[in-house]
Every structure is written in C-alpha cells, then in structure tokens.
C-alpha cells in the first residue's frame, strides 16, 4: 500500500504507530526503508519511548500528539494545562534534537479553549516544530466554524498548518476544504475515508474538489485514484459503496433517458465537466433500467453490432422496463439476449465453450480449480489456485483465454435467492478488457462456484463478441 500511495503521489505517508506493537514498528521501518519519494511519518504520543520507537524505525518525520481539550485532558491523561504544554514542548524539542521533522497535534483541538490552543501551538512553534496539526477529533466542527478557527490560528502561527477531520456528521471533507480556504497548508486524508468511527476525510473527494473546483496545484497523480481505492477495498474487505463520490461504481453511471442522451452527445451536460472519469482512472457507464431511453439502448446495442429497427427497439425497451420493474438488475447479457430474441437473430458463436469444471478445497488444501473448455474450437485445460474455490475458478477461466484478450473482473456480486442449505444463489459478474469496455452477465444455481463461472464465461463471450 505504501508503494501504491507513493505512486499516487501523496506528499506524506503516516505509516503507523511504532510503539503500538513490534509488528507495527517493523511495518513502519520497512516502509521507511523502501526508498519512497513520499515523506514517511511515524505517530507518537508526547512520550520519549514513543518518539524513540519512531526514531528507531527510521522515519523522516514524527507526528506527536497530546489531548488538549478539558474533557479529554481531565478524563484520559489526568494532567493540568500547564503539564500538557510542558510535555508538548519537551517532545517537540526531543524530536528536533534528533534531526527529524516534527508535526504537533493538539488532540481534540476543536473542543479546546481557543486561548489555550493558541498558547500551546505557540509554544510548540517556539520549540522548533515544523507543522502544527488541528484535529477535529470527534467531528463536531461546522465548516464555518472550521474556517473561523483556522483563520484565527493563521494570524497567530507562522509555520504551516495541517488539518485532521473526522466524519461523524459527514463534514470531514467540507471542513478540510474550509480549513484550506482559511489558510491551512495541508490536509490529512485517508483512502476511501477509512478511519475511527465514521472515518476521516476522503482523499478522492478532497483532492478532486481542490483540483477541479478550487483549481489548486497538487502533487497527486489523479489517474491512480480509482486504482488505489480498489486496492484498499481489496486489502481491507471494506466495500466501496456504489454511490461513493469519485470512485464508486455509479460515480459516472447514467440511467435516466434524459441524462444518457445528453451524456452520449456531450458528457458535460450531466457530469461536472471539470472532473471526468478519465482524470481519476474511472470509466463512464450507461446503465439500462426502467428509466432507460431509446438513445442509450440503441447505442448499447450498436456496440454489439445489433441494429434493431424502430419497432424492434420499442419492443426491446418494453421488455427491459418489465424486467427492471421487478427489481432485477439488467446485465449486458440480458439486453443482448432480449435483442436477439426480438430481432430473431441467433446469438453469436461463443468464443469459450465450457466443458468441465473441477474444484478442490478444504482446510489442508489450497483451493484449486481445473477448467476444460473449447476456446475458439481449440480444447484447453488450465488449473489455478485462489483464496477460495470461487476465486480459483474465476482465475482459471480468465487465464484460459490466453492470447485472445486481456480481461479482468470488474465487478462480482452474489445473492441468495432462496433460503436453506440448498439455497439458489444469483451471481452477477462484470468483466473489463484492456480498452476499458465493460460487460456484465448473470447466472443462478445452488452451486455457487458453477454459477460464478457460468456468469463469467457468458460475460467474456459477450465482451469478445463486442
């Protein structure tokens, strides 16, 4: 992940909290020694042992923090204001004496008495601190309140100001933007907004707002934003919701007939324009549902070399809306099948004809799948391993097409249709080729692995026919 963040172009990576555990310290150390362009930072309380752990890990900067609000100071660290200020200045001095850059955070700053906040930040600056951080630790600040606080601190503090906003009321990104408007120099963000409780300010939303709306110059290579978001989704198993701004599946998806017609003519009609899917490594999608218009359906069919006349098109749209009204997600394979039936046109010959599927799994066996298929009339057999039987099977299928195409799985969903141990599951698989074209297909079976493979094979065949 650190390598990916470096590729993305983030200025500083806060790699971890070295004192927390030996594993965390080793992780931070390995990142610090990875030869990255990004500055590597370690987190530390205002305690010598914490700071020493960061120094031992080889970081470029130490981010040291202490609670300053009365409620946290009195109920967590049980220190007076004077003691906290002394601890802060000693920590900053200790870090600077060891030749490292220093960031100081007054934790729960937005609930801290303002005069005391100015005093402790001023003391940290005098002690040689390089950056002060203003955390909205429990996410209670309003955007206007954040603007006013940072404006006031900017008049009192000459060193760079950083912000750290939590999302308890959904205001983390707005507060980060207001802080920067008011004079803050940088913002702490996370991929996909991950973080304590409701999370932190999201990198994608903050970066694209600054770049596209404010016209700010940033070091972020925005074309890797979606790639990075999906990597974090995969490693953390925390899914990206479809409607998440910038990186969600629906961020650049259009269904309404009016919207799709406009977007197909000129994407700026129903997209921001100042932010395109290409800018963030995303793709534009036309979604077919009960709001679908003729223009979108015709364009989707033309992409598959299907050209219905007006009467046939009306019949196809009627069937599409009937399916959508039942709450079903319409896949590309569904659309093509409907069109071929209405037009009395045979479906094209599939490139992949699945013959056999065998799967081995267990607590002492690495999940392995073996696939036998005819690929353009040539018999091929391929085995692959995976995290589970479904993963192994899908890898085997995508591998068996070999030189015919470079295809990756874009989307995978599974839902139980019936209850019980013999439940029938519906699987929807989306695949993408090297040109960014995406096709989806579905299958249903009591055998989840077979349903997954069948949907994948259908989707690949449709994509190759395109």
């Amino acid at each position: 992940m650190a390598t990916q963040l470096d590729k993305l172009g983030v200025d500083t990576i806060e790699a971890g909290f070295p004192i927390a555990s030996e594993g965390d310290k080793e992780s931070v150390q390995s990142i610090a020694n990875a030869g990255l362009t990004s500055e590597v930072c370690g987190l530390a309380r205002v305690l010598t042992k914490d700071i020493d752990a960061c120094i031992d890990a080889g970081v470029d900067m130490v981010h040291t923090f202490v609670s300053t609000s009365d409620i946290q100071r009195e109920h967590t660290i049980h220190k007076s204001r004077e003691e906290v200020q002394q601890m802060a200045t000693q920590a900053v001095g200790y870090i600077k004496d060891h030749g490292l850059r220093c960031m100081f955070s007054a934790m729960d700053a937005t609930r801290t008495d303002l005069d005391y906040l100015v005093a402790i930040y001023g003391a940290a600056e005098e002690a040689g601190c390089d950056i002060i951080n203003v955390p909205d630790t429990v996410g209670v600040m309003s955007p206007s309140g954040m603007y006013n606080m940072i404006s006031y601190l900017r008049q009192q503090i000459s060193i760079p100001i950083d912000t750290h906003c939590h999302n308890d009321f959904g205001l983390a990104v707005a507060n980060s933007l207001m802080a920067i408007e008011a004079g803050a120099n940088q913002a702490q963000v996370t991929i996909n907004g991950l973080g304590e409780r409701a999370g932190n300010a999201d990198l994608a939303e903050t970066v694209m707002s600054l770049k596209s709306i404010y016209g700010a110059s940033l070091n972020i290579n925005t074309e890797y934003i979606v790639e990075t978001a999906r990597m974090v989704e995969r490693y953390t198993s925390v899914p990206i919701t479809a409607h998440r701004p910038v990186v969600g599946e629906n961020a650049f998806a259009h269904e309404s007939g009016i919207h799709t017609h406009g977007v197909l003519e000129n994407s700026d009609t129903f997209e921001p324009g100042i932010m395109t899917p290409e800018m963030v490594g995303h793709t534009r999608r036309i979604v077919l549902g009960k709001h679908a218009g003729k223009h979108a359906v015709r364009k989707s069919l033309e992409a598959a070399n299907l050209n219905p006349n007006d009467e046939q098109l009306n019949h196809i749209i009627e069937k599409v809306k009937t399916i959508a009204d039942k709450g079903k997600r319409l896949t590309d394979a569904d659309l093509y099948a409907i069109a071929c039936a209405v037009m009395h046109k045979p479906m094209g010959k599939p490139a992949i004809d699945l013959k056999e599927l065998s799967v081995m799994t267990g607590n002492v066996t690495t999940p392995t799948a073996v696939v036998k298929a005819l690929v353009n009339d040539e018999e091929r057999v391929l085995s692959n391993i995976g995290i589970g039987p479904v993963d192994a099977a899908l890898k085997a299928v995508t591998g068996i097409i070999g030189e015919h195409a470079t295809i990756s799985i874009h989307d995978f969903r599974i839902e139980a249709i019936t209850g019980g141990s013999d439940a029938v599951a519906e699987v929807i698989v989306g695949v993408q080729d090297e040109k960014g074209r995406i096709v989806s297909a579905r299958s249903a079976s009591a055998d989840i692995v077979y349903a997954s493979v069948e949907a994948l094979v259908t989707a690949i065949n449709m994509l190759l026919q395109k």
Side-chain angles (χ1 to χ4, degrees), residues 67 73-74 77-87 116:
S67 294
R73 182 178 51 76
E74 293 170 5
I77 58 176
H78 309 291
K79 300 288 184 182
S80 68
R81 287 186 176 184
E82 291 73 23
E83 287 175 309
V84 167
Q85 183 167 321
Q86 183 180 23
M87 292 167 68
Y116 177 57

Side-chain angles (χ1 to χ4, degrees), residues 278-313:
E278 294 78 16
M279 286 172 67
V280 297
H282 217 319
T283 52
R284 182 177 295 107
R285 293 191 309 116
I286 302 300
V287 179
L288 299 175
K290 62 183 178 180
H291 301 114
K294 286 185 179 181
H295 199 65
V297 174
R298 189 183 291 280
K299 286 287 185 182
S300 295
L301 293 174
E302 286 176 354
N305 293 317
L306 293 169
N307 299 286
N309 58 38
D310 289 343
E311 183 181 350
Q312 290 171 333
L313 183 62

Side-chain angles (χ1 to χ4, degrees), residues 96-147:
K96 296 308 296 179
D97 286 345
H98 284 80
L100 298 178
R101 279 171 37 82
C102 175
M103 177 191 292
F104 169 70
S105 282
M107 191 156 71
D108 207 15
T110 55
R111 294 195 297 176
T112 299
D113 176 78
L114 191 56
D115 290 338
Y116 177 57
L117 191 64
V118 170
I120 196 167
Y121 280 145
E125 182 177 10
E126 287 182 16
C129 187
D130 297 284
I131 308 168
I132 65 156
N133 177 246
V134 182
D136 186 20
T137 304
V138 292
V140 294
M141 200 55 143
S142 68
S144 59
M146 179 62 81
Y147 183 91

Side-chain angles (χ1 to χ4, degrees), residues 199-213:
N200 291 79
D202 174 70
L203 178 140
E205 296 169 34
T206 306
V207 163
M208 294 314 297
S209 294
L210 287 171
K211 185 176 180 67
S212 297
I213 298 174

Side-chain angles (χ1 to χ4, degrees), residues 303-325:
N305 293 317
L306 293 169
N307 299 286
N309 58 38
D310 289 343
E311 183 181 350
Q312 290 171 333
L313 183 62
N314 288 335
H315 195 185
I316 292 167
I317 291 172
E318 182 182 329
K319 287 184 174 293
V320 165
K321 295 191 175 188
T322 298
I323 293 173
D325 275 335

Side-chain angles (χ1 to χ4, degrees), residues 171-325:
L171 296 172
V173 172
N175 282 333
S176 299
L177 296 175
M178 286 299 97
I180 290 171
E181 271 200 29
N185 306 88
Q186 60 190 52
Q188 294 188 3
V189 294
T190 64
I191 306 299
N192 300 341
L194 294 177
E196 198 80 14
R197 302 185 312 280
N200 291 79
D202 174 70
L203 178 140
E205 296 169 34
T206 306
V207 163
M208 294 314 297
S209 294
L210 287 171
K211 185 176 180 67
S212 297
I213 298 174
Y214 288 82
S217 177
L218 307 172
N219 293 324
I220 298 296
N221 301 310
T222 61
E223 65 271 23
Y224 300 123
I225 284 178
V226 170
E227 177 181 288
T228 307
R230 288 176 179 166
M231 180 183 285
V232 171
E233 177 186 43
R234 188 167 69 252
Y235 287 160
T236 62
S237 298
V238 178
I240 299 171
T241 57
H243 60 275
R244 188 168 194 91
V246 185
V247 300
E249 182 183 349
N250 292 346
F252 297 95
H254 307 271
E255 179 184 335
S256 165
I258 297 172
H259 282 232
T260 55
H261 194 161
V263 166
L264 288 169
E265 293 293 327
N266 184 330
S267 61
D268 287 0
T269 53
F270 287 99
E271 286 180 0
I274 51 177
M275 178 178 69
T276 66
E278 294 78 16
M279 286 172 67
V280 297
H282 217 319
T283 52
R284 182 177 295 107
R285 293 191 309 116
I286 302 300
V287 179
L288 299 175
K290 62 183 178 180
H291 301 114
K294 286 185 179 181
H295 199 65
V297 174
R298 189 183 291 280
K299 286 287 185 182
S300 295
L301 293 174
E302 286 176 354
N305 293 317
L306 293 169
N307 299 286
N309 58 38
D310 289 343
E311 183 181 350
Q312 290 171 333
L313 183 62
N314 288 335
H315 195 185
I316 292 167
I317 291 172
E318 182 182 329
K319 287 184 174 293
V320 165
K321 295 191 175 188
T322 298
I323 293 173
D325 275 335

